[in-house]
């Protein structure tokens, strides 16, 4: 009985920190189906990002439907985050780190939606590789590695924002 409780606690910890350990190709099919549906919907909804970045009044003045566009983007974001969380658990700091890195890699003022997604995927891939090979006898959850990378990076971004007076 105690062994089962320990195993359940370890499984809960692994899920709470986000882990890709023990995932198989059979668990990949529901993700691929969800992505096949959600990615085209997100691409359609992302067309509203340009006008919405200008503000509600300017976007409405340009003929964009502000509320439906915002709701479509929000729905796609929640659905994609839900699919990712169902697959791996809540992997910390990926969303905080991937967008600023993508903005630095790809200059420009437009929405960096695709670049942020690809940067986040690459970050999780590298963090998972490091989690599996960092310590020879232990496989860490990927969320531990992303937190080790993400927390100092987030603090650095906050310090820079406060230094130039853009902080809260």
């Amino acid at each position: 009985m105690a062994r089962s409780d320990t195993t359940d606690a370890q499984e809960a910890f692994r899920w709470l920190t986000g882990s890709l350990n023990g995932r198989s190709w059979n668990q990949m099919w529901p993700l691929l189906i969800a992505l096949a549906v959600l990615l085209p919907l997100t691409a359609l909804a992302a067309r509203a990002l340009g006008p919405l970045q200008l503000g509600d009044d300017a976007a409405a003045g340009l003929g964009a439907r502000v509320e439906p566009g915002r709701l479509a983007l929000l729905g796609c974001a929640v659905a994609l985050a839900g699919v990712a969380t169902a697959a791996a658990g809540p992997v910390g700091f990926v969303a905080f780190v991937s967008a600023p890195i993508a903005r630095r890699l790809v200059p420009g003022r437009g929405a960096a939606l695709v670049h942020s997604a690809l940067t986040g995927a690459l970050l999780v891939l590298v963090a998972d590789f490091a989690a599996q090979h960092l310590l020879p006898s232990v496989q860490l959850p990927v969320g531990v590695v992303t937190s080790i990378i993400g927390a100092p990076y987030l603090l650095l971004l906050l310090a820079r924002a406060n230094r130039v007076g853009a902080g809260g």
Side-chain angles (χ1 to χ4, degrees), residues 116-167:
S116 295
L118 293 175
T119 303
L122 182 64
L123 176 69
V124 171
L125 182 68
V126 170
D128 185 50
F129 183 80
Q132 290 183 15
H133 297 94
L134 199 60
L135 300 173
S137 61
V138 178
Q139 286 188 350
L140 297 172
V142 71
V144 171
V145 177
T146 58
S147 296
I148 290 170
I149 296 168
Y153 186 72
L154 182 61
L155 291 174
L156 175 72
L157 288 177
L158 289 172
R160 277 192 187 159
N162 284 332
R163 192 174 322 137
V164 296

Side-chain angles (χ1 to χ4, degrees), residues 46 48-56 58-59 70 73 103 109-113:
L49 273 176
L52 286 176
Q53 285 181 327
L54 301 173
D56 291 353
R70 184 178 293 131
L73 286 166
R103 288 235 179 253
R109 293 305 233 179
L113 190 63

Side-chain angles (χ1 to χ4, degrees), residues 76-102:
C76 289
V78 168
L80 286 168
V83 167
T85 303
V91 179
F93 290 100
V94 174
F96 289 127
V97 174
S98 62
I101 291 174

